[in-house]
Amino acid sequence: MFRCRGRLFRRSKFGVFITLLVTFVFVSMLLDWSCWKDRVRLVVEDATGEVNVAKMLWEESRNQTDQSNESRETPIDGPKSMTKMANVSDDVIGSWTSSQPRPMTTVEPAGDESELLSCKDIDEISIIKPLGRGYTKVVELGSYRGVEVAVKRVKSFVKDVTACKARIEWKRHHECYLFANYKIMKEILLQNQLQHPNIIKLLGYCIRSENIAENMSEHGVVAVTELGRKFDTNVARKMAWKQRLEIAIDMADLLDYLDHSPLGSLIFPDFTANQFVWVGDKVKLQDMDDVSSVELACAVDSDCSIGHIRNLTPCVGGVCRGLNAKHNMNGAFRHVFQHILMHDGGEISSLREGMRTLSLSAANLHSRLKKLLQQEIQGTTN
């Protein structure tokens, strides 16, 4: 009896063990299958390189708008046509948007969005001649219904693309256009959100695909802005003192805006005169694809330096708070202010020294320059 019961008892324990083992194997197989599917998906994406930049723009714009809408706490009605609002081709969005139950909202531009040129409008632009090229894009002179505009797009011969093609095999050359197209889209988003009279005006944009084509109706990413003429400090320094003061006042106001923008304190890494153009009687910032809101990381205050000037700002929470504004002032003084603020007088000397040592804020500079302009106007009228 005892051995029989013992055998029965051991068989019962063995059965429970087998049940647990089978359950564990089954669950493990399910988890492995889920991970395997994700790995296959990532491998396929990496092999094809098909990253849809239009979806990146659509998603980033929607996320930024959602944050803005929450802060305002006001209801926004969904647009009737997402393609019209986002200037993104229906073919690019395709079935991807059908899986998104939320209606799209967009970041408010520096004007009425309905006034922006759509993809269909941009198809009508005739390219007249190239105006210049940078590392990631070219700027071309275009004509839209008799009005001259600036057209920005990626071409195969820009430096970033050619350098990328030299590094990877030819089967992956299409990937080299992704980063360049992303930078144009970043510039589009920034121009939509930053509203200042000394920032070039965005007239329209179109996001179709990642394709590069000569024909405007087939090119993937295109931005259209107002047209300007080259800003040359050698020409500006020969202008009347009143005109030079007005340029400096506008530039100081732009610096203050970049420091207190809706996106935070922005840094303009390549602050040179080449990044500005004349539009009418205004000097405007035309190239914004390298603008960033990231402040320099630090461990101690001495890390917050520019050139030989150390301890410019405090290191707070591992970040040099306020260094972006100092960097912009440094670039503006070296490339613009010191060339146009050439005038006898104690106040100008004081301002130049304050900018050179980076001890002067943009707001203070703007205020003092306006007083000088008022004095110049009063002296002229008297």
Side-chain angles (χ1 to χ4, degrees):
M1 292 290 292
F2 179 77
R3 284 184 300 174
C4 178
R5 288 177 181 174
R7 282 195 299 272
L8 287 174
F9 179 73
R10 284 194 298 272
R11 287 176 183 174
S12 177
K13 288 177 62 178
F14 183 73
V16 171
F17 174 77
I18 290 296
T19 301
L20 292 174
L21 178 63
V22 170
T23 302
F24 174 79
V25 171
F26 181 74
V27 172
S28 299
M29 289 176 64
L30 287 178
L31 293 174
D32 289 341
W33 170 250
S34 176
C35 294
W36 181 80
K37 287 196 300 181
D38 289 338
R39 289 169 185 168
V40 169
R41 176 177 58 80
L42 292 174
V43 170
V44 170
E45 289 180 355
D46 183 63
T48 60
E50 294 179 352
V51 182
N52 196 314
V53 292
K55 297 175 185 178
M56 293 163 54
L57 174 64
W58 191 92
E59 187 66 29
E60 185 171 354
S61 178
R62 191 187 68 178
N63 291 339
Q64 291 172 345
T65 304
D66 289 344
Q67 295 175 1
S68 177
N69 292 343
E70 289 175 2
S71 65
R72 289 196 302 263
E73 298 184 354
T74 55
I76 295 181
D77 296 331
K80 295 180 180 180
S81 172
M82 182 174 64
T83 303
K84 179 180 179 182
M85 294 296 290
N87 287 16
V88 179
S89 170
D90 284 325
D91 295 334
V92 175
I93 298 175
S95 59
W96 177 74
T97 55
S98 63
S99 63
Q100 308 293 326
R102 285 176 75 176
M104 178 183 176
T105 54
T106 57
V107 177
E108 295 179 5
D112 186 356
E113 180 122 11
S114 63
E115 296 177 359
L116 291 177
L117 299 180
S118 66
C119 291
K120 185 176 180 180
D121 296 326
I122 292 175
D123 290 347
E124 298 181 29
I125 295 178
S126 300
I127 300 299
I128 300 174
K129 65 177 182 179
L131 294 176
R133 73 168 75 172
Y135 282 92
T136 60
K137 63 180 179 290
V138 298
V139 182
E140 299 167 305
L141 173 63
S143 177
Y144 173 70
R145 299 181 181 179
V147 178
E148 292 186 337
V149 296
V151 178
K152 297 181 180 182
R153 53 179 175 162
V154 177
K155 290 290 190 73
S156 60
F157 51 78
V158 296
K159 292 183 180 179
D160 280 352
V161 173
T162 55
C164 173
K165 287 182 177 180
R167 292 194 303 267
I168 64 177
E169 58 181 352
W170 68 269
K171 292 181 179 179
R172 298 177 57 197
H173 279 184
H174 63 281
E175 298 177 9
C176 295
Y177 297 104
L178 296 177
F179 180 69
N181 277 325
Y182 158 76
K183 293 191 75 173
I184 292 183
M185 293 189 300
K186 174 186 174 183
E187 191 167 10
I188 290 171
L189 288 170
L190 286 171
Q191 288 175 331
N192 257 337
Q193 296 171 91
L194 301 177
Q195 305 176 29
H196 192 274
N198 294 100
I199 293 178
I200 203 80
K201 182 179 179 182
L202 180 69
L203 301 180
Y205 62 92
C206 182
I207 314 295
R208 284 193 176 91
S209 65
E210 300 83 30
N211 292 337
I212 304 299
E214 194 64 33
N215 193 329
M216 290 291 289
S217 62
E218 298 175 359
H219 199 89
V221 181
V222 181
V224 182
T225 69
E226 58 185 343
L227 182 66
R229 64 188 189 278
K230 181 181 178 180
F231 173 68
D232 189 343
T233 53
N234 290 324
V235 175
R237 69 192 302 171
K238 298 175 183 177
M239 294 180 174
W241 175 236
K242 178 177 177 292
Q243 290 177 289
R244 286 183 281 149
L245 274 177
E246 290 172 343
I247 295 172
I249 289 171
D250 284 348
M251 192 73 70
D253 190 53
L254 175 62
L255 291 176
D256 187 51
Y257 178 78
L258 292 175
D259 188 27
H260 303 93
S261 84
L263 306 179
S265 181
L266 301 178
I267 185 174
F268 188 27
D270 190 20
F271 206 117
T272 65
N274 292 332
Q275 307 301 327
F276 292 84
V277 293
W278 282 103
V279 180
D281 61 348
K282 289 284 187 182
V283 177
K284 296 192 177 186
L285 175 60
Q286 66 164 340
D287 195 351
M288 303 182 65
D289 55 9
D290 288 326
V291 171
S292 172
S293 62
V294 178
E295 300 264 22
L296 182 69
C298 60
V300 292
D301 289 352
S302 60
D303 293 335
C304 304
S305 306
I306 297 177
H308 66 281
I309 308 177
R310 307 183 66 82
N311 301 326
L312 280 171
T313 62
C315 179
V316 180
V319 174
C320 295
R321 296 294 180 193
L323 194 63
N324 283 352
K326 301 287 187 181
H327 178 92
N328 293 339
M329 179 64 76
N330 182 57
F333 173 70
R334 291 173 55 233
H335 297 287
V336 180
F337 287 131
Q338 72 171 346
H339 300 290
I340 64 174
L341 292 179
M342 303 290 293
H343 193 72
D344 294 333
E347 178 66 353
I348 290 297
S349 298
S350 175
L351 290 176
R352 286 172 60 91
E353 181 63 16
M355 288 185 284
R356 188 188 67 81
T357 59
L358 302 181
S359 59
L360 186 66
S361 69
N364 193 352
L365 173 64
H366 181 261
S367 175
R368 291 168 67 177
L369 286 172
K370 287 190 70 175
K371 290 180 180 179
L372 284 175
L373 179 60
Q374 292 173 358
Q375 293 172 8
E376 178 68 15
I377 295 173
Q378 291 173 358
T380 303
T381 55
N382 294 338

